[in-house]
Amino acid sequence: MRWTVSAAATVASTYALDAFAAAAGALVVMSGVLAGLSHGWVVVVLVGSYVLWALGLRTNLRANGALLAATGTSTNVLSKAAYDLTRRFARSERAPRVAAAVGYAGTEVIKELPYYAAAFGAAAATEAITGADALVFLAGANLGAAVYEYGLGRLTSWFLRRRFASFERDWVPGRYLTDYYSTVEPDELATIAFLVDALRHADRDQPILFFGVGPTMHHVFAAADVASEIHLGDYLPSNLAELQRWIDRAPDAHDWRPFVSYTLRCEGVSEPTEDEVTLREDLTRKKITDLIQVDAHHRHPVNRRYATVISPYCADSATDNLTTWRQLMRNITDLVEPGGLFVTAALHQCAGYTVGDRRFPSANVSEDDLRAALRPDFDRSNEVIEVHSTNQDATHGYGGVLLCHARKHQPPER
Ligand SMILES: C[S@@+](CC[C@H](N)C(=O)[O-])C[C@H]1O[C@@H](n2cnc3c(N)ncnc32)[C@H](O)[C@@H]1O
């Protein structure tokens, strides 16, 4: 679907650019506005037109990068191919965007060639068109292309702002914490209780990876007693910085104590004291040994595997597309060792959730989708999937959550 949309947009955009640029070139020649300029001045105008074209293209390249990040589509298929390929293998957030820009700009430069051929071919073929006319035509065509690229870039940005919030542009960690973690809400009452229970099945004294942890600590406390060390991974450096502030006991770091207290209750402590909460916070700080920037689009987002991987509300909250969600799930679940435990959670059949006044995508995941995403690598007989109704439609945009833990198959004995 994304390829079809991108291919259609590429064809439409190529024809529109050609028509617009050619018309602008012809108009400038016919209007005679540059007639009478010396050859030197015509060259100066031509160089200036290239500068404007490059500026217009820069606006469009930025918008195209944001469009790819938010929707996986582009107005240039080559740019999409470069983006998708680089995202699978590069670890940095920037590399796929640079590849997309190179792919896009490369095609736009190639599209210039027919203009040179047409302009200088016409000048060579007929006395009526001079070499100066050819240069003026090219300058006009460049100006038309500049206006077109700038306009397409602005239109793309406008569309994106209206339809999707993007993590790169719109995610505000503090806003997310205020909206979702000021108190322990129904989804987290269910998720933390489930997580505590799931971790009873985890191998003790092994490193645990939290994948897509965001700026949040509320799930991590349950792992502190089980893990030898804890690695926290997220896509956004701003989320990792927020976690670091909590680890460093920054005075304005988020207060997770109500969540620690609830975790201890789920573990069986009937009335956790302030000291018990502090002890668990301290143990958690001690166990966190690594903050890692990860991208679930990458085929191998982390270069090792774990006996336990915990990834609640990450893959489903990173895309509105079920096919992409499956790919992200595959990349995340591949990080679980054979025989290891995977714990996940997703918004149940939800198309989007709100943070502040922005709506972020959700992949509309059902129980069956989740079950299918675990095949063939996970053991069906060792799998728990629950749907909990949480009735948070009015506040956050979803009415329930899916909770799951599953064990990966052991490799066959030889
Ligand atoms: C809704 S938040 C959930 C955060 C946390 N797990 C929680 O339960 O509150 C979704 C998280 O997915 C992360 N994310 C988005 N795209 C990602 C990607 N491509 N790879 C890894 N994480 C990503 C975001 O940075 C964000 O922290």
Side-chain angles (χ1 to χ4, degrees), residues 48-296:
S49 73
Y50 275 110
V51 172
L52 289 174
W53 176 67
L55 290 174
L57 186 58
R58 188 176 68 164
T59 304
N60 197 14
L61 292 182
R62 285 187 178 151
N64 178 60
L67 182 67
L68 277 163
T71 67
T73 60
S74 169
T75 49
N76 180 307
V77 271
L78 211 73
S79 172
K80 173 170 167 54
Y83 182 89
D84 286 356
L85 203 69
T86 316
R87 195 157 195 197
R88 283 172 71 96
F89 300 107
R91 291 205 186 281
S92 87
E93 205 182 306
R94 206 173 120 73
R97 287 195 181 228
V98 172
V102 171
Y104 205 119
T107 359
E108 296 306 88
V109 169
I110 290 168
K111 281 187 206 162
E112 280 278 290
L113 299 180
Y115 290 94
Y116 280 89
F120 291 108
T126 162
E127 295 278 304
I129 297 173
T130 64
D133 287 338
L135 293 182
V136 168
F137 172 79
L138 283 176
N142 283 345
L143 289 176
V147 171
Y148 179 85
E149 299 284 1
Y150 180 78
L152 182 59
R154 297 301 299 226
L155 193 72
T156 306
S157 302
W158 173 82
F159 164 77
L160 275 177
R161 268 196 303 277
R162 248 186 94 233
R163 174 121 167 61
F164 298 103
S166 95
F167 282 98
E168 291 88 346
R169 193 187 54 224
D170 301 308
W171 183 260
V172 181
R175 186 69 218 224
Y176 181 58
L177 295 176
T178 313
D179 282 6
Y180 284 77
Y181 300 112
S182 294
T183 58
V184 188
E185 297 195 25
D187 51 348
E188 287 306 334
L189 290 174
T191 308
I192 293 172
F194 184 88
L195 181 58
V196 166
D197 186 51
L199 282 170
R200 295 195 173 108
H201 304 266
D203 286 354
R204 292 189 69 83
D205 302 322
Q206 297 286 330
I208 293 184
L209 172 68
F210 282 82
F211 194 100
V213 67
T216 69
M217 286 299 306
H218 60 308
H219 297 142
V220 185
F221 302 114
D225 199 34
V226 182
S228 59
E229 50 186 282
I230 294 172
H231 299 172
L232 303 180
D234 196 77
Y235 179 57
L236 294 179
S238 59
N239 283 339
L240 298 178
E242 190 64 41
L243 296 172
Q244 189 64 56
R245 277 158 29 77
W246 181 83
I247 295 167
D248 293 343
R249 300 170 197 270
D252 57 345
H254 191 74
D255 177 14
W256 291 107
R257 289 178 72 84
F259 293 85
V260 183
S261 179
Y262 179 64
T263 306
L264 292 174
R265 272 177 221 273
C266 293
E267 288 176 0
V269 183
S270 56
E271 287 296 330
T273 63
E274 289 296 309
D275 282 353
E276 284 170 322
V277 169
T278 305
L279 264 176
R280 179 56 64 91
E281 284 188 308
D282 290 347
L283 180 66
T284 307
R285 283 193 175 93
K286 217 168 81 191
K287 291 285 176 80
I288 298 170
T289 55
D290 210 357
L291 300 185
I292 323 166
Q293 194 180 353
V294 293
D295 182 354

